[in-house]
């Protein structure tokens, strides 16, 4: 079975279209949330994920768009973008997002937006990674949320390893080790590579591949300006941060 796992699309339909074009028709598409927020095409992204993804979990920006969750912790640009998203979000998008759960458990892996149990926690260091491993018995967890392509591995002795995957690459899963895989972001990469990111998980080969791909950033920037979203949301796309 091949799974294509996308996350943090953030209303960037140009990037989502290109990601889906790279994903095979037989691949099962899974989405880790933050379909809306920041970007200029929230409804289009919801519709496209609704049509193509087999399953999706809720992200914090999706929840913020629905019910102002956590906006007091957002920076000015994120807050302005959520206010705009709330104005344009259709009833259909709202209803569909409202039906998403916080986690999905498959026989051999777990899907959450940020971390197991504490769904919107950021796994940014070995300490938070260790806590995340302790909060689940899943041997493999897929996350997004940080917009950074990387993975954390728990060795049989409990020690934690880490690797950035900002240029793409593969991970061969090994027996006895547990993994937290951050698939990176489709709509707003923040690991200093402006190319967008998603992951392919081949469950029979026990292999994860990070795919980095270019998309027309200038077109998204023009749309951001056109709907008067903050400038910063456009410029950060070209620096990947
Ligand atoms: Zn996000």
């Amino acid at each position: 079975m091949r799974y294509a796992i996308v996350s943090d699309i953030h209303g960037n339909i140009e990037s989502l279209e290109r990601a889906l074009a790279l994903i095979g028709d037989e691949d099962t598409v899974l989405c880790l949330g933050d379909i809306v927020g920041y970007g200029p095409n929230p409804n289009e992204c919801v519709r496209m994920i609704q049509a193509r993804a087999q399953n999706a979990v809720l992200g914090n920006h999706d929840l913020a768009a629905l019910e102002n969750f956590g906006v007091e912790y957002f920076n000015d640009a994120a807050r302005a973008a959520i206010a705009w998203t709330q104005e344009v979000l259709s009833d259909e998008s709202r209803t569909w997002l409202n039906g998403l759960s916080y986690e999905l458990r498959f026989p051999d892996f777990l899907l959450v937006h940020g971390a197991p149990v504490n769904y919107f926690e950021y796994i940014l260091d070995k300490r938070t990674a260790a806590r995340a491993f302790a909060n689940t018995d899943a041997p493999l967890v897929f996350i997004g949320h940080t917009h950074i392509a990387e993975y954390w591995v728990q060795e049989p002795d409990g020690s934690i390893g880490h690797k950035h995957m900002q240029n793409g690459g593969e991970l061969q899963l090994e027996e006895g080790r547990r993994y937290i895989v951050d698939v990176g972001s489709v709509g707003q990469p923040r690991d200093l590579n402006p190319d967008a990111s998603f992951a392919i998980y081949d469950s029979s080969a026990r292999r994860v591949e990070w795919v980095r791909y270019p998309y027309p950033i200038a077109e998204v920037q023009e749309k951001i300006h056109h709907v008067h979203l903050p400038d910063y949301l456009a410029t950060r796309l070209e620096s990947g941060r």
Side-chain angles (χ1 to χ4, degrees), residues 7-10 33-38 59-61 113 122 144-147 185 188 190:
S7 191
D8 296 274
I9 296 151
H10 286 296
D34 277 8
I35 300 167
V36 307
Y38 294 128
N60 58 310
H61 283 255
H113 182 61
Y122 290 91
H145 199 33
T146 66
H147 300 205
S185 172
Q188 192 196 77
R190 292 179 196 158

Side-chain angles (χ1 to χ4, degrees), residues 151 163 165 167-173 200 207-210:
Y151 71 84
K163 193 170 189 291
M165 303 300 283
N167 296 311
E170 286 189 2
L171 164 66
Q172 184 66 51
L173 305 178
I200 298 283
R207 197 167 50 234
V208 178
E209 182 198 354
W210 284 260

